[in-house]
Amino acid sequence: MKMKGILKKSVTVALITVMTVAAVTGCGKGKKKNDDSILNEAVNGSKDYVYKVEDIDIGDKKINGYPTGIDVIGDKVYIATGNYDENNTQIITFNTDGSNVEFIDIPTNKGEYYSSFAFLPDGSFYACLSISSYDEEEGQPQTLEGGEASSEASVDEAAEESSKDASKDDAAAKDASKEDEKTDSKKAPADAASEASSKDKDDAAKDASKDDATGDASAEGSSEEGSEVHEEGMGFYEGGEEQIFLVKLDNKGNVLDKVDITSKGGDDGYFSIRSLLVLDDGKLLISSTKGIETYSDGGDFKSLVSVDNGNDPYMDSYALYKGANGQIYAQNYGDTGVNIRKFDPENGEFSDPIESFTKDYGYASNLFGGKGYDIYLATENAFCGYDASKNEIVKLMDYIDSDIETDYTIPAAYAISDKEFISVIPGFEDDYKLVRLTKIPADQVKDKKVITIGGVYIDYKFREKVVKFNQASDEYKIKLVDYSKFNSDENWNAGYQQFDMDIVSGNVPDIIALSSDQPIEKYRNKGVFMDLKPLFDKDEDLKGIEILPNILKAMTTGDKMYTVIPEFMVGTMITRARFAEGKNSLTYQDCEDIMKQNNVTYQTAYGLTDKKTALGMGIIFAGDKYMDTPNKKCSFESDGFIKLLEFANNFPNEMDYEKYDEYEGYYKTNKALFAFADFSRFGDYKRYKQGIFGDDIALVGLPNDEGVNEAAIYPTGMYAISAQTKYPEIAWDFVKSFFTDEYQNNIEYGFPITKSAFEEAKKKSLERPYKMVDGKKEYEDDIYYIDGKEVTLSPLTQEEADIVADYVLSIDKFYDYNTDVHNIITEEAEAYFSGQKSAEEVAKIIQSRINIYINENS
């Protein structure tokens, strides 16, 4: 697969939007434990949600694509999947007892894909067919007469890539979700520095959840749905044209009828089917970007709800599901997140949002039908049933407890009963398994000692490790406890607050997943963490492993080791090499001079940066100059900090995140000159050099007058073991696996911490990206999209790889984002930014407040 630069950009936009963490109170010892803690719930309830996983025998066949959903009619199961690498759609049918499995392949031409399937009792089905075409030589869209795809039509690979993306809306939502989870719990320097307003945070989270809802609900959606550019309704690649058809096929996959519905997009051309359902009277219920309508064979469309006539601004994102007794449920994005409503197709009316869904299960979830409960819900962690009579959601099956090998929401399931499901499970290797899930009574579940891993937005890399550990151990079971479940639109910090409350109450997870903006030093000083150094030193499995010296230093406090950092990034600032003139760092005046030479102001010179971001950078990259916590000293009245305040005050008050792509394009024209950057791998160097600047670059760190390259190591995860754990050796066996070659050599978005894996990553940066096909390397282009243009990135040269490696290894300053301290500084700095006080006055107040804080919390 080609690397899409715009996806990287979207991740960065998500990173910039910060979930500001509330001040965390100190923790103590000897407190009474809270028996209602979710840690205790995880330990005590671990036997209640266990299901047996049995593969359904499909012979030598293979599920070769992403599952769009499961339907059961009578005693027949129907599953549709799509694989657009191979231009193939599969229909899988079998009896509910798992017998008589049959695969029906529906070939598609390049640029074609099917989505949103709805099955009829005789095995025939409706689907949405989208056809994209593009002239490779002329770069002009091609019209497909009659909607038939010509086998001779030349379809650009770009259109195919767009189709692949569209067909995997849910998978893309999964990836975005995971990145967001990483983002929320592990802020990168540039991102943590930006104290986004509550509206920014709200909007970003809603956008992500909207993608989840529409992607999950529509199963695959159209190419507009999956593309990264929506404005023209033409998909990701400019000039691409798409036709959309409603197709009916028989139970062998032969086309019975095809209706061109492209014109439903109207003047703007943007049209996408979200979902299809067959009603009890045989009519087809269609939800789309234009509303909800019914369809009868012969081309009879009847509008029930129209986007044009409705008052709901999110009417274009409804997806429909069939629950018990024919009740239709509608899922869409609204002002309070993802909402679930009942829908009556007789009168086209919706109920109010069902509160129990919105409250706890609005985000990152799929609905599915079956017997037993009124409707079912697949979350990122569990299957749940909705009881309409009680208006409550009941947890039924836990993925981890059941050792299910998936790292995100299960996209396709059907309830044979509330104790038995048929499901297609996406595995850790992006493979798919057809399984039957059957509840195991709690008294039949084998007793195991439970080890908890707790944190806020736990990295989902843990899932595979946890499942494999649990499968291999007869004595112990690891449970993930993610406190992000407490977060809401009203309080994004609730998870952090509850996490801290548990620690204060003595409910400490055995293994603690930390983010850099949590009060790690405070927890360390209060004795929450166990010293891992003795375990590390005596472990024979680690004798041959050499950790990078700067990372080893970051993990060590004096002669003790309290945390493990599995991978890391580096935060710095980049500019054109010719601007740096061979210097290792730039002064504030150097930057001013460069701006004057290029006639650029602070509005664009540093890209999309505001006052708080610029100030935050100084706190993160140079905070050690102003704070000496071990000796309980601080120096915020110094000239260096006052200059930092003055520097930050030059920037705009707020950032317009919608202009991120526009601002990134400024660097090639020297409208932007300096980029705060997060280097997470060697390839980021070529992205900035070849893609963003289009010129030689220099890594100069934050501006300062001390001649120091102000940059910082940023861990993309930190883990500690509780000093209270009953199972220190077992917890260590799990944590130390981060040091293994298996883990280190497979890091995708971070630098490895072991010397051997770091050198291997450096070596790979010299090659074109490739995938292994039949034991051979199949090379691909590395593509980055910027300013509406495609840039093919060349591999690093040896010299460039050496520059990155030397720079990364030279940085030994640890990124220490203390939320309490940051909040004090930004709160008081507002008086200076608004002109109420001088920089000196504000610096004096900050000095006083942080001095008190250090003495109270060290």
Side-chain angles (χ1 to χ4, degrees), residues 713-732:
I713 295 168
Y714 166 67
T716 56
M718 284 190 293
Y719 305 96
I721 295 177
S722 168
Q724 302 177 19
T725 183
K726 298 177 182 177
Y727 316 110
E729 298 285 348
I730 305 303
W732 172 250

Side-chain angles (χ1 to χ4, degrees), residues 16 606-610 613 655-660 663 667:
I16 292 175
Y606 289 80
L608 199 62
T609 304
D610 62 9
T613 301
M655 293 187 287
D656 184 352
Y657 292 109
E658 293 183 359
K659 292 185 177 181
Y660 178 84
Y663 270 67
Y667 286 97

Side-chain angles (χ1 to χ4, degrees), residues 457-639:
Y457 294 108
I458 296 177
D459 193 326
Y460 274 70
K461 290 178 182 178
F462 260 103
R463 286 201 180 217
E464 182 174 3
K465 293 169 66 63
V466 167
V467 168
K468 289 182 176 179
F469 177 94
N470 290 344
Q471 289 174 339
S473 178
D474 290 330
E475 187 176 356
Y476 299 94
K477 188 177 190 69
I478 290 179
K479 287 280 295 183
L480 291 178
V481 183
D482 194 336
Y483 283 80
S484 64
K485 65 174 286 184
F486 292 104
N487 291 346
S488 66
D489 289 335
E490 292 75 29
N491 185 0
W492 284 108
N493 304 313
Y496 291 95
Q497 293 165 346
Q498 184 62 48
F499 178 81
D500 183 69
M501 286 170 60
D502 268 7
I503 290 180
V504 168
S505 300
N507 290 293
V508 183
D510 295 290
I511 300 172
I512 309 165
L514 296 159
S515 59
S516 297
D517 51 11
Q518 289 179 278
I520 295 172
E521 185 174 8
K522 185 192 300 183
Y523 288 164
R524 186 172 60 227
N525 292 340
K526 297 294 184 180
V528 174
F529 305 147
M530 181 176 73
D531 178 14
L532 305 178
K533 192 69 162 54
L535 292 170
F536 181 85
D537 289 341
K538 75 177 184 180
D539 198 308
E540 292 297 325
D541 294 336
L542 303 181
K543 292 300 182 184
I545 293 177
E546 184 178 353
I547 297 175
L548 300 177
N550 52 345
I551 301 304
L552 186 59
K553 178 181 177 182
M555 292 194 301
T556 305
T557 302
D559 60 350
K560 300 181 184 298
M561 179 188 295
Y562 292 108
T563 57
V564 166
I565 301 173
E567 52 194 88
F568 68 101
M569 299 192 300
V570 166
T572 187
M573 191 181 82
I574 301 173
T575 190
R576 293 181 186 273
R578 59 187 173 89
F579 292 158
E581 298 179 334
K583 299 176 192 174
N584 186 46
S585 65
L586 297 176
T587 65
Y588 294 119
Q589 189 59 52
D590 288 335
C591 294
E592 290 273 2
D593 292 342
I594 294 168
M595 289 166 60
K596 289 178 181 178
Q597 292 165 11
N598 290 276
N599 195 28
V600 176
T601 69
Y602 281 92
Q603 186 70 36
T604 64
Y606 289 80
L608 199 62
T609 304
D610 62 9
K611 295 180 189 295
K612 289 183 178 179
T613 301
L615 177 60
M617 288 299 189
I619 300 170
I620 292 168
F621 292 163
D624 62 326
K625 294 191 300 188
Y626 314 125
M627 286 185 63
D628 182 2
T629 306
N631 293 312
K632 298 184 179 183
K633 295 179 180 179
C634 56
S635 55
F636 288 94
E637 292 181 281
S638 65
D639 291 341

Side-chain angles (χ1 to χ4, degrees), residues 1 7 11 168-182 212 380 407-408 430 748-749:
M1 181 188 299
L7 292 180
V11 169
K168 298 178 182 177
D169 277 348
D170 196 20
K174 173 260 293 191
D175 292 337
S177 175
K178 289 195 288 187
E179 288 294 336
D180 288 343
E181 286 152 4
K182 287 173 63 177
D212 284 344
E380 293 173 307
D407 59 354
Y408 65 100
D430 287 332
E748 295 183 1
Y749 298 105

Side-chain angles (χ1 to χ4, degrees), residues 15 49 144 230 237 274 299 318 458 488 498 568 580 755:
L15 285 169
Y49 314 114
L144 304 176
H230 289 256
Y237 296 89
R274 303 299 194 187
Y318 276 107
I458 296 177
S488 66
Q498 184 62 48
F568 68 101
K755 183 177 180 180

